[in-house]
Amino acid sequence: MTADPSAQPETALVIEDDDDIRRLLEMTIAQAGLAVESASTGQEGLTQAQQQIYSMITVDIGLPDLNGLDVVRSLRDHYTGPVVIISARSSDTDREAGLAAGADLFLTKPFRPRELRQQFASLLQNVR
């Protein structure tokens, strides 16, 4: 059986303001087999999430325009897929706040790309 050439690959959205981290996330997610789109601000990410269907969305807490927790809360108004917070903030309070805002997973920076791919694959497999 051959794959449908018109089928679109699953796509992830990365909402991250740091160019280097955004590129690393894009590469890591692409290696996990998903197409990747990105946004450098919370508002840009929210706009994209309303215009496209994503298999997964990653959000940084420290965005330049909106608090990432507010972005996650806003996403949850219309998005039911997995949301992963990837943040330099690593306290238990930050983790609890992220999960309470609606994130399915809270990961901290720095991260290992291989472990991140495994986490993403596991999360997507559970959703499917």
Side-chain angles (χ1 to χ4, degrees), residues 87-117:
S87 177
R89 300 179 189 176
S90 61
S91 74
D92 288 340
T93 303
D94 290 321
R95 180 179 306 276
E96 290 166 10
L99 297 174
D104 297 288
L105 192 58
F106 188 104
L107 303 173
T108 58
K109 301 173 192 172
F111 53 82
R112 290 187 171 95
R114 178 186 298 166
E115 291 174 9
L116 199 59
R117 279 192 303 276

Side-chain angles (χ1 to χ4, degrees), residues 15-89:
I15 305 173
E16 169 63 59
D17 63 313
D18 183 288
D19 291 339
D20 292 334
I21 294 172
R22 188 173 55 250
R23 281 192 292 274
L24 180 57
L25 285 169
E26 290 168 349
M27 183 179 63
T28 300
I29 292 169
Q31 289 172 345
L34 281 79
V36 185
E37 295 182 5
S38 61
S40 59
T41 67
Q43 189 57 58
E44 182 184 347
L46 288 172
T47 299
Q48 286 180 238
Q50 290 176 344
Q51 297 173 349
Q52 165 108 10
I53 297 172
Y54 293 101
S55 300
M56 176 179 65
I57 299 176
T58 69
V59 181
D60 180 25
I61 291 178
L63 296 167
D65 60 340
L66 301 171
N67 181 299
L69 298 176
D70 293 333
V71 172
V72 172
R73 286 184 199 98
S74 293
L75 286 170
R76 285 304 184 202
D77 288 341
H78 59 85
Y79 178 74
T80 59
V83 175
V84 179
I85 290 177
I86 303 176
S87 177
R89 300 179 189 176

